[in-house]
Amino acid sequence: MVRRSDSGEQRPTTIRDVAAHAGVSVATVSRILSGSYPSAPATRSKVMKAVRELDYVANANARNLAGASSRSVAIIVNSVVSPHYAHVAQGVQTQAALEGKLCIVGTTGGDAERELATVQLMRQEHAECVILVGNVVNNDAYRERMADYARALAAAGSQLVLCGRPTLGPDVPALVVEYDNTGGAYAITSHLLSAGHRRILFLGRHEGYTTSDSRITGYRNALADHRVPHDPGLEADGTMERSEGYRMIRERLAAGPPDFTAVFAGNDLIAAGARQALREHGLRVPDDVSMVGFDDLPPAADIDLTTVHVPHEELGRTAVRLALERRQEKVVAPAQHVLLGTHIIVRDSVRPVRVALG
Amino acid sequence: MVRRSDSGEQRPTTIRDVAAHAGVSVATVSRILSGSYPSAPATRSKVMKAVRELDYVANANARNLAGASSRSVAIIVNSVVSPHYAHVAQGVQTQAALEGKLCIVGTTGGDAERELATVQLMRQEHAECVILVGNVVNNDAYRERMADYARALAAAGSQLVLCGRPTLGPDVPALVVEYDNTGGAYAITSHLLSAGHRRILFLGRHEGYTTSDSRITGYRNALADHRVPHDPGLEADGTMERSEGYRMIRERLAAGPPDFTAVFAGNDLIAAGARQALREHGLRVPDDVSMVGFDDLPPAADIDLTTVHVPHEELGRTAVRLALERRQEKVVAPAQHVLLGTHIIVRDSVRPVRVALG
């Protein structure tokens, strides 16, 4: 609610108003609203009554709720179960809290119509920025849809941010925060090559999808630079799920004995599934087969996986920070493009390839 | 946008209007909006132009955006990084999609003021239900805050749902969807006792917190029913994170040799951290120490952990389904309370206790 101050101008209800109304200290109100300290039921009742009567909305971002000004940042993901999406969303939430904003996550289940509807919802709710995350088919239909989002949000005073997605070009008012997929894939493939591996099975080729394409490009570039002939037969098609890693190895080993000494799993989930399938076939990582992944998310630590660290939370934090900066500075186009680095995390899943003696 | 039909009454723009406006078939519009099929740039441009000009909002839930009617369900969690929260949110998203609703997730970082602000935001956005999930300190301040939410949301035509939290009593218009923490903890403790274990270390006591309290109650009840004396020294204090499991075991083994043959980790994350600390101390699971967890979430499968399955997604789906049913049937109070079952998932982390011979 908005109150008239002594000087007459309008101002939102503050915690002081609540304290005065309830006849207690500001500290008491804060303590009781936080719910994390003991307090006398009578005091609590007085305070909650004052909160109700003044329709007090706690904290700065929330006070904005009373006014028309926006107060939230939005992130839209396919699914919050994917550790990658969840950790980016966590970064968004962390930065939003620092900036005194609420954080809203929209989920689409990967459905383009739900994505469109969710973007429109966030626009109508005056989210200060709308962050879209992750793997896409980068075709004309996609780029046109994103360009429409970017213009519609800009027209509404909001800002489209693409996270871990390619740029849309200079004429589209979108902020792009990417990380170095190709560089990370190049580095981790080189790590296997330096250990003497030449037959490296890539799990999770998914042509047309940006994340898979950029990772497999790094894999192929590293092979080429090490003058290792590229064998397309060592690229297994699949999506980025644990069950897919299990399936790809199962099918491969059913077709014949392993024709590879190392596995480059397209992400850590694929690695976990592949590791299970190898184990069921009597093959241990790293003793029998070396393995690396990508993401450095659970379950990488639990399976001792050497992998590529992706700055998931930093992606989310950077997206929010830059978007809000642009708003404050009233920056419109040109589009902005940020690329965050990746690096290898060495655990215990790679052994030097055995050399046959004699 | 809302258009006037031939018969004169108002109706939202449909995909047919877009197809007619663009001079293409409905199938073409649908294909292009889905973004998942190739199509001629010229056609795509015509369709996207029509979408813009008619401000067409794709699909049923989205069409509601044009009107005042509500179209979304909201879930509020501490963090989407926690697998438990993420999987409940996934269930909410799945059911929301089935019911033609959007799904928005609010994150609070565990801050009560952000929770209050987020609930008020969701109320103002006319969410059809607001679902709060997980572990809480069930004190008077908490119950009073929840009762306020329940009444404020009911007054706004919405519905408070508490997921995995205790009921607030018959006079509060809240829907409660719980799962059987105590029963699950009783069953998994009995599983260890049946394997001959008598010194079972519980990791993650956190007095006052509902989830930990209900799990430790099941643990104590099972010991009592098996006539195994309860040793409070076998209950380690900690929160539900992986790093805490690691810390609790490290501290315990630093204090002296293991005085337990089995570990009951308060959840699977604690189990993963505890397992790593045991391994660093030269103790393997299950050969040297048996271990069970709780939740049946990643990383349970990757560490072969026998654990208690919690129907996370079903909690979310049930919360949405019941809340929307109540709205349709215009049910107000009395409060409704649902308890979902839990069961053991047996993997390879428990061995019969070794009996000294002779």
Side-chain angles (χ1 to χ4, degrees), chain A residues 93 105 107 148 242 302, chain B residues 52 93 105 107 148 242 302:
Chain A
Q93 125 93 47
V105 186
T107 64
D148 283 346
R242 189 185 195 287
D302 294 314
Chain B
R52 278 193 297 279
Q93 125 95 53
V105 186
T107 64
D148 283 345
R242 188 183 196 286
D302 294 313

Side-chain angles (χ1 to χ4, degrees), chain A residues 181-191 215 218-219 221-222 225-226 264:
Chain A
N181 266 312
T182 304
Y186 184 96
I188 199 100
T189 306
S190 303
H191 180 70
R215 290 178 187 180
Y219 160 80
N221 293 348
D225 291 355
H226 287 71
F264 178 3

Side-chain angles (χ1 to χ4, degrees), chain B residues 185-205:
Chain B
Y186 184 96
I188 199 100
T189 306
S190 303
H191 180 71
L192 290 171
L193 290 162
S194 313
H197 295 280
R198 292 295 175 268
R199 301 282 299 169
I200 302 170
L201 176 64
F202 182 92
L203 298 180
R205 180 177 60 187

Side-chain angles (χ1 to χ4, degrees), chain A residues 139-151 168, chain B residues 32 40-49 52:
Chain A
N139 59 15
D140 292 349
Y142 162 78
R143 283 188 295 272
E144 185 147 8
R145 207 166 74 246
M146 290 305 122
D148 283 346
Y149 293 168
R151 299 193 181 97
L168 298 172
Chain B
I32 284 170
T43 316
R44 206 159 33 234
S45 303
K46 269 191 301 185
V47 169
M48 295 315 290
K49 185 159 169 295
R52 278 193 297 279

Side-chain angles (χ1 to χ4, degrees), chain A residues 34 44 48 52 57 61-62 71 81 90 93 101 105 107 114 117 120-121 125 140 148 242 299 302, chain B residues 44 48 52 57 61-62 71 81 90 93 101 105 107 112 114 117 120-121 125 140 148 242 299 302:
Chain A
S34 81
R44 209 159 31 234
M48 296 314 292
R52 278 194 298 278
V57 184
N61 42 18
R71 63 280 176 177
V81 172
Q90 177 69 10
Q93 125 93 47
K101 309 288 180 185
V105 186
T107 64
R114 284 178 68 78
Q120 298 209 17
L121 175 69
E125 309 317 2
D140 292 349
D148 283 346
R242 189 185 195 287
D302 294 314
Chain B
R44 206 159 33 234
M48 295 315 290
R52 278 193 297 279
V57 184
N61 41 18
R71 63 283 176 177
V81 172
Q90 177 69 10
Q93 125 95 53
K101 309 290 179 185
V105 186
T107 64
R114 283 178 68 78
Q120 299 208 14
L121 176 67
E125 309 317 4
D140 292 350
D148 283 345
R242 188 183 196 286
D302 294 313

Side-chain angles (χ1 to χ4, degrees), chain A residues 137-145, chain B residues 25 27-45 47:
Chain A
V137 182
N138 187 20
N139 59 15
D140 292 349
Y142 162 78
R143 283 188 295 272
E144 185 147 8
R145 207 166 74 246
Chain B
S25 74
T28 303
V29 175
S30 168
R31 205 167 55 242
I32 284 170
L33 284 180
S34 82
S36 47
Y37 302 91
S39 54
T43 316
R44 206 159 33 234
S45 303
V47 169

Side-chain angles (χ1 to χ4, degrees), chain A:
Chain A
M1 142 174 169
V2 175
R3 333 189 64 207
R4 203 163 286 287
S5 75
D6 313 342
S7 61
E9 95 281 8
Q10 297 239 317
R11 59 176 185 77
T13 304
T14 69
I15 193 166
R16 273 161 213 72
D17 301 320
V18 175
H21 194 88
V24 301
S25 73
V26 167
T28 302
V29 174
S30 167
R31 205 166 57 241
I32 284 170
L33 284 179
S34 81
S36 48
Y37 303 90
S39 55
T43 315
R44 209 159 31 234
S45 304
K46 269 192 301 185
V47 169
M48 296 314 292
K49 184 160 169 293
V51 166
R52 278 194 298 278
E53 288 174 2
L54 302 183
D55 192 19
Y56 170 66
V57 184
N59 85 16
N61 42 18
R63 269 199 294 282
N64 293 337
L65 292 174
S69 81
S70 72
R71 63 280 176 177
S72 60
V73 298
I75 173 171
I76 299 177
V77 298
N78 287 358
S79 151
V80 286
V81 172
S82 146
H84 169 63
Y85 293 137
H87 282 75
V88 174
Q90 177 69 10
V92 168
Q93 125 93 47
T94 304
Q95 190 64 28
L98 284 173
E99 309 259 2
K101 309 288 180 185
L102 298 178
C103 173
I104 305 178
V105 186
T107 64
T108 66
D111 178 280
E113 294 204 356
R114 284 178 68 78
E115 178 186 270
L116 174 57
T118 306
V119 169
Q120 298 209 17
L121 175 69
M122 300 309 189
R123 187 187 73 194
Q124 293 183 6
E125 309 317 2
H126 308 294
E128 294 196 34
C129 61
V130 176
I131 302 164
L132 292 179
V133 188
N135 202 16
V136 290
V137 182
N138 187 20
N139 59 15
D140 292 349
Y142 162 78
R143 283 188 295 272
E144 185 147 8
R145 207 166 74 246
M146 290 305 122
D148 283 346
Y149 293 168
R151 299 193 181 97
L153 289 168
S158 184
Q159 164 78 61
L160 176 68
V161 186
L162 300 181
C163 217
R165 292 184 177 187
T167 174
L168 298 172
D171 57 335
V172 179
L175 176 60
V176 174
V177 182
E178 271 194 285
Y179 58 96
D180 192 355
N181 266 312
T182 304
Y186 184 96
I188 199 100
T189 306
S190 303
H191 180 70
L192 289 171
L193 290 162
S194 313
H197 295 280
R198 292 296 175 268
R199 300 282 300 170
I200 302 170
L201 176 65
F202 183 92
L203 297 182
R205 180 176 62 187
H206 197 185
E207 272 179 24
Y209 282 81
T210 53
T211 302
S212 169
D213 284 353
S214 53
R215 290 178 187 180
I216 210 162
T217 299
Y219 160 80
R220 291 171 183 167
N221 293 348
L223 292 175
D225 291 355
H226 287 71
R227 296 184 176 57
V228 173
H230 170 240
D231 176 358
L234 284 175
E235 297 175 355
D237 290 313
T239 58
M240 295 287 193
E241 289 116 46
R242 189 185 195 287
S243 57
E244 284 284 280
Y246 184 81
R247 178 191 61 78
M248 287 183 272
I249 288 292
R250 281 287 294 258
E251 290 178 1
R252 187 124 196 139
L253 295 181
D259 56 348
F260 52 88
T261 63
V263 171
F264 178 3
N267 71 5
D268 297 342
L269 296 172
I270 290 177
R275 175 173 166 276
Q276 185 184 339
L278 286 167
R279 214 168 38 188
E280 290 176 7
H281 202 271
L283 296 170
R284 288 154 307 154
V285 174
D287 309 30
D288 305 309
V289 176
S290 290
M291 183 180 284
V292 299
F294 208 112
D295 276 346
D296 191 29
L297 288 173
D302 294 314
I303 63 176
D304 249 333
L305 184 70
T306 293
T307 188
V308 177
H309 177 75
V310 171
H312 305 278
E313 301 205 8
E314 192 185 345
L315 278 165
R317 288 199 308 271
T318 305
V320 172
R321 211 185 62 248
L322 294 180
L324 297 183
E325 274 172 21
R326 282 165 64 92
R327 275 174 59 89
Q328 280 146 19
E329 297 154 13
K330 299 265 175 290
V331 179
V332 281
Q336 190 175 351
H337 184 192
V338 175
L339 182 70
L340 301 179
T342 53
H343 60 268
I344 300 182
I345 299 286
V346 176
R347 296 198 179 91
D348 187 30
S349 63
V350 175
R351 290 267 190 285
V353 70
R354 293 203 201 87
V355 181
L357 297 174

